[in-house]
């Protein structure tokens, strides 16, 4: 059964689990017994932008250990290769 929110004029808001067929019916307040009306609110969805999802994925991947590979004989190490830095490296999500 889903949980619905109600508002009592005397006691304030409270939640109650009810059958969906009774969702719009008035509910007696559990504290004072007065009739309380149902309060409609937005569902609790986690909405994340594409940039936010990408940042979350990078954060999760950063916590995973990586596989280190030793350079083969005659191969330059990655540290000795020049790095190309383009754009604005201080701006992560733009």
């Amino acid at each position: 059964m889903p949980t619905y929110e109600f508002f009592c004029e005397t006691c304030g808001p409270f939640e109650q689990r009810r059958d969906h067929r009774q969702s719009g019916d008035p509910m007696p307040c559990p504290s004072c017994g007065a009739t309380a009306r149902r309060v409609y609110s937005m569902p609790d969805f986690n909405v994340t932008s594409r940039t936010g999802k990408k940042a979350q994925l990078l954060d999760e991947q950063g916590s995973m250990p990586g596989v280190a590979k030793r350079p083969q004989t005659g191969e330059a190490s990655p540290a000795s290769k020049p790095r190309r830095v383009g754009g604005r490296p201080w701006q992560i999500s733009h």
Side-chain angles (χ1 to χ4, degrees):
M1 278 193 285
T3 303
Y4 296 102
E5 297 177 40
F6 293 89
F7 184 79
C8 174
E9 295 293 332
T10 309
C11 305
F14 65 94
E15 294 180 348
Q16 182 68 35
R17 292 178 58 97
R18 300 182 95 178
D19 186 44
H20 69 278
R21 290 171 282 190
Q22 301 171 339
S23 63
D25 296 341
M27 174 79 187
C29 176
S31 299
C32 67
T35 303
R37 63 179 173 80
R38 181 169 170 208
V39 177
Y40 294 90
S41 59
M42 293 291 295
D44 188 21
F45 290 119
N46 186 5
V47 180
T48 308
S49 67
R50 184 184 309 178
T51 307
K53 287 179 185 177
K54 186 176 179 181
Q56 184 179 9
L57 178 64
L58 288 173
D59 182 44
E60 290 172 358
Q61 287 175 347
S63 63
M64 297 294 207
V67 177
K69 215 168 91 175
R70 182 177 287 183
Q72 295 182 3
T73 310
E75 184 180 330
S77 68
S80 65
K81 291 181 183 178
R83 280 184 61 203
R84 181 176 171 258
V85 178
R88 299 176 180 154
W90 59 88
Q91 291 183 334
I92 295 172
S93 64
H94 295 278

